[in-house]
Amino acid sequence: APQVLLQIAVAAALALPSALPARGGAVRRLPSGLRLSASDGVTVQIERVDSSQARMHFSLSADTTSAALEEVGRGEQAITDALSLLLQRDVPSSLLEALYQDGTVRLLGQARLSGESPEELLARFKPGAPLTLCMEADTWPNLPAVSRKDYYGLTLRLPRREVDAYHRKEALLELRKRYVQDDGTLPELDDALAEQVSAGLTADELSELIEERIKREAAIAESGAVFEAMEEALLSQIHTPIPDAIIRERARSQYAERCRAAEESMAVGRDAFQREKLRKMMSWEAFEQFLAEEREQISRSLSLSFALEAVAASEGLEIDPQAVQDNLMMYVNERKRYGQPVRDMDDPAFRQAFEAEYMREVVLRACIDHANVEWVA
């Protein structure tokens, strides 16, 4: 069917890898032996429709459409086969080259015809005559444009923390050590020290700053609530529309991991009931149910990732390889201490996830350091 032909035509250029089988029946294959390389007779123009969509305009020369018919032969399905060849080979190959030259557009999912149906495209296709067609596709969102007002100075409401004398003394000692006097002694907490820390600062104001700093560090150390509060504050200020194709692909990845774990757990002593349970779990309907249940959380997670990346880019925050390695070794040692399984540290997916979590904490801590905190009982 023309619709099926169009769906597979741009797969090489646009389709995301899927952890689940695509829906639909078998497709009729083109005659074997046809070359699958780019055609010189196709021009492509790419335009941004909005932040999450792009439109591609294709123009195929008369020589290109004629050559396609010559390649497939003159059989009963020659016209359909010729159009299918162009859509499977010339169109996606030319699009890939255009995307490479453009360098700013990253397409997602599968392209779809714009302005006409597959049947209408097939009806007006005449080998030996020029052919124009238009397709649309989701695009990977650009990082949102942000400034410091979008992520610094945000208000967080956190549970009040009492500062004990020990931590207050340690914080003050650490500060005094930074401003050793000429005779080698440590300065007292007075207006002179406060002036060294910041022009115009008084001793009382410096004491309040130390107190505030200790409270923030205690809140971060004792609970993840401060991170969650900062995440919500960022999401309220920095919003990125997430295309459905990205949400579905993230869901596919998560669900594939869930299916893999379930299959491994049933590998030993699997009975008929377990096999049936696994079969239902790996069905398209089960995945759609998972997607419906997890869509909101996946969308939030992706939106937060874009927000954090935008802040990191704005502030020039980058991954410190040594810090990541140190944290990774601490993580491994902690897992081993409690007899927990340890992932392969050379696994690219694992390291990428670990680095992403590291950068999340770096960005959130920077934002927390510059947040306005309201301490509540």
Side-chain angles (χ1 to χ4, degrees):
Q3 178 64 55
V4 175
L5 293 176
L6 282 175
Q7 287 179 350
I8 66 173
V10 292
L14 302 177
L16 289 166
S18 173
L20 296 175
R23 303 187 76 175
V27 296
R28 185 169 58 81
R29 298 184 179 277
L30 288 170
S32 61
L34 299 180
R35 64 182 178 84
L36 294 176
S37 58
S39 169
D40 295 330
V42 183
T43 59
V44 187
Q45 289 184 327
I46 304 174
E47 63 169 326
R48 281 271 192 179
V49 178
D50 53 38
S51 62
S52 61
Q53 279 196 329
R55 184 176 293 121
M56 293 79 69
H57 302 271
F58 299 91
S59 297
L60 289 74
S61 69
D63 288 344
T64 298
T65 61
S66 178
L69 182 63
E70 291 297 323
E71 287 192 64
V72 301
R74 300 283 180 174
E76 181 180 349
Q77 296 292 325
I79 300 297
T80 302
D81 285 347
L83 178 58
S84 182
L85 174 61
L86 292 170
L87 293 174
Q88 291 184 60
R89 184 188 67 191
D90 301 77
V91 166
S93 296
S94 300
L95 177 58
L96 280 174
E97 183 177 349
L99 289 171
Y100 178 79
Q101 292 177 353
D102 179 272
T104 63
V105 179
R106 181 179 173 185
L107 301 183
L108 296 166
Q110 199 140 33
R112 50 200 172 271
L113 275 177
S114 176
E116 65 181 335
S117 68
E119 291 78 14
E120 290 170 332
L121 175 62
L122 183 61
R124 67 180 180 85
F125 172 59
K126 307 296 181 186
L131 176 67
T132 60
L133 62 107
C134 182
M135 288 184 173
E136 291 184 350
D138 292 332
T139 62
W140 193 269
N142 292 327
L143 284 183
V146 297
S147 61
R148 285 194 165 183
K149 66 179 178 60
D150 297 314
Y151 52 86
Y152 280 177
L154 303 183
T155 299
L156 304 180
R157 292 174 59 84
L158 301 175
R160 183 181 299 279
R161 305 284 174 177
E162 297 300 328
V163 179
D164 60 70
Y166 172 78
H167 286 95
R168 184 183 294 108
K169 181 179 178 180
E170 286 295 308
L172 177 57
L173 179 60
E174 180 183 342
L175 175 65
R176 293 169 64 199
K177 286 179 178 179
R178 297 179 186 176
Y179 298 92
V180 178
Q181 300 181 110
D182 293 339
D183 60 2
T185 61
L186 300 180
E188 297 299 324
L189 178 57
D190 53 21
D191 289 341
L193 174 59
E195 180 69 23
Q196 283 186 275
V197 174
S198 181
L201 193 67
T202 67
D204 289 342
E205 291 170 337
L206 177 57
S207 182
E208 291 178 3
L209 289 175
I210 294 174
E211 196 92 356
E212 178 73 12
R213 179 69 184 185
I214 297 173
K215 287 181 181 179
R216 291 181 189 230
E217 291 179 352
I220 294 173
E222 295 176 14
S223 173
V226 63
F227 279 172
E228 294 177 9
M230 192 70 249
E231 288 176 354
E232 292 303 321
L234 286 173
L235 287 172
S236 70
Q237 296 295 315
I238 307 173
H239 178 65
T240 304
I242 305 298
D244 183 70
I246 301 182
I247 296 175
R248 296 187 73 88
E249 184 56 28
R250 176 64 64 87
R252 287 191 184 103
S253 177
Q254 293 181 2
Y255 197 69
E257 181 63 23
R258 177 177 293 191
C259 290
R260 183 194 64 77
E263 189 172 19
E264 289 182 354
S265 68
M266 298 179 186
V268 179
R270 185 185 302 173
D271 55 25
F273 173 77
Q274 290 177 319
R275 287 196 298 271
E276 178 62 15
K277 182 180 178 180
L278 185 60
R279 186 190 68 79
K280 290 181 178 180
M281 186 178 182
M282 299 185 73
S283 68
W284 183 265
E285 289 72 19
F287 167 71
E288 288 292 335
Q289 182 179 348
F290 170 83
L291 176 60
E293 295 171 352
E294 299 295 326
R295 176 180 288 276
E296 184 176 347
Q297 180 58 33
I298 292 174
S299 179
R300 179 193 181 277
S301 175
L302 290 167
S303 293
L304 179 62
S305 295
F306 280 103
L308 294 175
E309 188 175 352
V311 174
S314 177
E315 289 297 312
L317 301 176
E318 297 180 350
I319 289 178
D320 181 343
Q322 187 59 53
V324 170
Q325 186 64 27
D326 292 344
N327 278 271
L328 186 58
M329 293 307 300
M330 290 173 58
Y331 162 82
V332 170
N333 291 335
E334 191 73 8
R335 301 280 293 186
K336 288 181 178 179
R337 181 183 306 168
Y338 292 100
Q340 298 173 325
V342 178
R343 294 281 299 272
D344 180 6
M345 290 192 296
D346 293 327
D347 180 1
F350 172 63
R351 291 193 70 93
Q352 184 178 15
F354 196 89
E355 290 176 358
E357 179 61 21
Y358 168 83
M359 280 303 298
R360 168 183 170 271
E361 291 198 10
V362 168
V363 174
L364 289 176
R365 285 178 181 274
C367 293
I368 292 168
D369 283 344
H370 295 83
N372 296 318
V373 178
E374 294 181 1
W375 299 104
V376 298

